[in-house]
Amino acid sequence: MFELFLSGYSAVPHISRSKAVYKAKYESAKVAAESLRDVRARVDEARRLLLLEMEEADGQVVDSSASGSLRAQLSADRAEYQRLVDELKALKAEITEVGRVCQKAKIQSQKDFGTWHEWVLGIQQQAQAARGGLSYG
């Protein structure tokens, strides 16, 4: 019976769009989180290499080209890490809002279905009463 209700329910396209947006944002967040893990691993590795280089230099200032490129890569990776963190924060806010909209639409559709279902039952009861009032013969 719910399928019959949905076939004429005007909010179905809006609900479908909201669900699609929710899924797309969620997938984007998963991709960004995976990228964040990769960048974090690169940052950790660059830090480890720089510390190792400093230990090998026994506290002396190291100014090798390898050290310079490692520092430059670390700086770029830190910027990318921060960009991804900011992106994930924004996506979280968007996902939360779209989820709230979907939940609100779900609750409203359940209320509307209840009202519609009571109306249909009333029509069926009236029809049965009308049929019961007829005499054959």
Side-chain angles (χ1 to χ4, degrees):
M1 179 151 302
F2 191 67
E3 290 78 23
L4 181 61
F5 166 75
L6 285 179
S7 69
Y9 192 53
S10 63
V12 169
H14 171 70
I15 292 169
S16 296
R17 278 192 307 274
S18 294
K19 284 182 178 181
V21 167
Y22 183 87
K23 287 178 184 179
K25 297 285 183 187
Y26 189 81
E27 287 302 315
S28 294
K30 284 175 29 178
V31 169
E34 188 174 316
S35 296
L36 185 69
R37 282 189 295 274
D38 293 344
V39 170
R40 179 61 191 220
R42 289 196 317 258
V43 166
D44 289 345
E45 180 62 13
R47 283 182 177 162
R48 187 187 71 75
L49 291 173
L50 282 171
L51 286 173
L52 185 63
E53 199 173 279
M54 286 173 52
E55 287 173 2
E56 289 175 356
D58 198 30
Q60 302 293 323
V61 175
V62 178
D63 196 23
S64 69
S65 64
S67 176
S69 70
L70 197 55
R71 289 178 196 279
Q73 184 61 46
L74 179 59
S75 180
D77 285 343
R78 281 181 176 163
E80 176 68 4
Y81 183 86
Q82 189 58 52
R83 185 193 69 75
L84 288 167
V85 166
D86 293 343
E87 180 182 339
L88 280 170
K89 284 180 183 178
L91 282 169
K92 180 181 180 186
E94 292 172 16
I95 289 168
T96 300
E97 177 60 20
V98 173
R100 187 190 63 72
V101 168
C102 286
Q103 185 63 24
K104 186 177 176 183
K106 177 183 175 183
I107 290 168
Q108 185 61 49
S109 69
Q110 289 170 340
K111 287 179 183 176
D112 292 346
F113 173 73
T115 301
W116 176 83
H117 190 255
E118 288 176 17
W119 175 75
V120 168
L121 289 178
I123 289 174
Q124 287 176 342
Q125 288 172 352
Q126 288 175 357
Q128 284 175 350
R131 281 192 303 265
L134 295 177
S135 61
Y136 297 101

